[in-house]
């Protein structure tokens, strides 16, 4: 058969396929991705019309290809890049660029953890009115300081904790000199001068600011990488309770914590895990990053959940599907349990974003005990089809049975784990 005739027949068949509008075969054709990523030793399936065939492009050793009844399966073999060419009656209709990523497995968490953060400098959380001869004043407010500012230097000296400030205040007050302050406000550094004022009631000099250099709370461990011991937890940023601004972390630590009781969530009133730091308060890891995707650092000692302590593969955002899944979390003492949930919707994100999934708790036991998702559950790992796919992050205030989840892909990147093989030649 001449090539021109074959192409003409191919075009006719393609037009026929398109003419069926949004029937199932056409929808499946539209779902063929323009590009996809798959890990070594993992398989990803693409639904296609049975009449569409697929062939590997160059670097065929990167993956294997299998077709069966309208389903194309791509199995990663070796890190690299290639493509799949989809063909209808000898007429190429679509290409999928394939990227094979190095194998990556993590150990899921679920444990309740206590979190202690130390901020960079000291954080201004409010203003204190000092009683003076001329009435109540706040020297800090008059100097242009704002709630949320971080004092990082005073008279040229680095400020690391609240106790660093007192000697400067008393000395400046007695001499009548002003304090030279360097504060960080968002992404700017601002210089200002502040004159301490004597509190007539106490006889001490004050700057009229409420400050804080640390914060504490509880959350849930999401995962750790068994070789590097890098971990991720919480799935969302830790913000100061007063200023509502993210805490800029100097350092911090995580410890074991025990859940003592549960305040059940109801419509309009999110519930909460009530927990205490374990009595030995032994540090199990450090914190070096507080980002929109959680807290991250390195574990100092191994931890177990006694449910799934083996490393599991991870799923990229495009692999996560609507349907049943499980979450690991603690609702009593320090026992990690597995509960059924449903992934109601998921977005195959190309760029980092915190709200990638909508989740709904379906497990009767969890609904009875907690009403669904409660505060302190943030970071609970989500498992689907034997893979770690993400973490619970937020509850819907008006519907505690549902909430948001973040894709594990972004948490891994924030933890400094090389998801995409950037450290290796591809």
């Amino acid at each position: 058969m001449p090539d021109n005739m074959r192409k003409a027949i191919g075009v006719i068949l393609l037009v026929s396929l398109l003419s069926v509008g949004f029937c199932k075969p056409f929808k499946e054709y539209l779902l063929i991705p323009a590009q996809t990523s798959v890990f070594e030793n993992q398989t990803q399936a693409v639904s296609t019309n049975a009449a569409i065939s697929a062939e590997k492009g160059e670097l065929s050793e990167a993956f294997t290809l299998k077709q069966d009844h309208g389903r194309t399966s791509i199995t990663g073999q070796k890190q690299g890049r290639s493509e799949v060419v989809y063909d209808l009656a000898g007429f190429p209709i679509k290409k999928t660029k394939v990227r094979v990523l190095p194998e990556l497995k993590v150990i899921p968490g679920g444990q309740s953890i206590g979190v202690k953060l130390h901020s960079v400098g000291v954080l201004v959380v409010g203003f204190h009115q000092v009683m003076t001869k001329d009435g109540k004043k706040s020297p800090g407010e008059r100097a242009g300081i704002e709630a949320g500012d971080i004092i990082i230097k005073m008279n040229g000296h680095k400020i690391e904790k609240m106790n660093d400030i007192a000697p400067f205040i008393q000395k400046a007050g007695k001499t009548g000199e002003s304090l030279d302050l360097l504060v960080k406000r968002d992404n700017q550094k601002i210089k200002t001068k502040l004159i301490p004022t004597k509190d007539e009631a106490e006889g001490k000099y004050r700057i009229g600011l409420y400050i804080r250099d640390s914060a504490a709370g509880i959350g849930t461990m999401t995962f750790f990488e068994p070789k590097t011991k890098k971990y991720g937890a919480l799935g969302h940023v830790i913000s100061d309770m007063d200023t509502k601004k993210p805490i800029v972390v100097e350092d911090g630590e995580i410890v074991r914590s025990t859940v003592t009781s549960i305040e059940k969530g109801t419509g309009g009133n999110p519930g909460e895990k009530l927990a205490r730091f374990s009595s030995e308060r032994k540090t199990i890891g450090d914190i070096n990053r507080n980002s929109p995707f959680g807290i991250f650092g390195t574990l100092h000692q191994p931890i177990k959940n006694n449910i799934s302590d083996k490393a599991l593969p991870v799923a990229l955002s495009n692999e996560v599907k609507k349907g049943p899944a499980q979450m690991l979390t603690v609702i009593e003492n320090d026992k990690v349990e597995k509960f059924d949930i449903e992934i109601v919707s998921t977005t195959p994100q190309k760029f980092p974003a915190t709200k990638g999934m909508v989740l709904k708790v379906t497990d009767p036991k969890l609904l009875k005990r907690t009403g669904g998702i409660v505060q302190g559950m943030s970071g609970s790992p989500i498992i689907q089809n034997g893979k770690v796919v993400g973490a619970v992050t937020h509850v819907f205030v008006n519907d505690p049975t549902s909430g948001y989840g973040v894709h594990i892909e972004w948490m891994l990147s924030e933890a400094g784990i090389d998801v995409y093989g950037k450290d290796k030649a591809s």
Side-chain angles (χ1 to χ4, degrees), residues 89-108:
F91 189 83
I93 58 171
K94 199 165 188 177
K95 285 184 181 180
T96 296
K97 293 181 180 179
V98 179
R99 184 179 183 183
V100 179
L101 306 175
E103 185 176 45
L104 174 61
K105 292 184 178 182
V106 299
I107 297 177

Side-chain angles (χ1 to χ4, degrees), residues 22 35 43 45 47 169 202 217 249 277 311 316 322 355 391 395 408:
F22 289 94
Q35 56 186 14
T43 298
S47 294
I169 296 174
E202 299 179 9
V249 174
F277 289 7
L316 300 178
K322 292 193 295 183
K355 297 177 180 178
V395 60
I408 197 67

Side-chain angles (χ1 to χ4, degrees), residues 376-424:
M377 235 176 238
S378 299
S380 300
I382 302 167
I383 314 295
Q384 186 182 58
N385 298 325
K387 296 181 180 182
V388 182
V389 303
V392 176
T393 58
H394 296 84
V395 60
F396 292 167
V397 175
N398 294 323
D399 179 12
T401 67
S402 302
Y404 286 113
V406 60
H407 288 299
I408 197 67
E409 185 173 354
W410 314 128
M411 291 188 71
L412 291 167
S413 295
E414 291 287 301
I417 296 173
D418 185 23
V419 180
Y420 308 106
K422 294 175 183 177
D423 296 338
K424 301 176 183 178

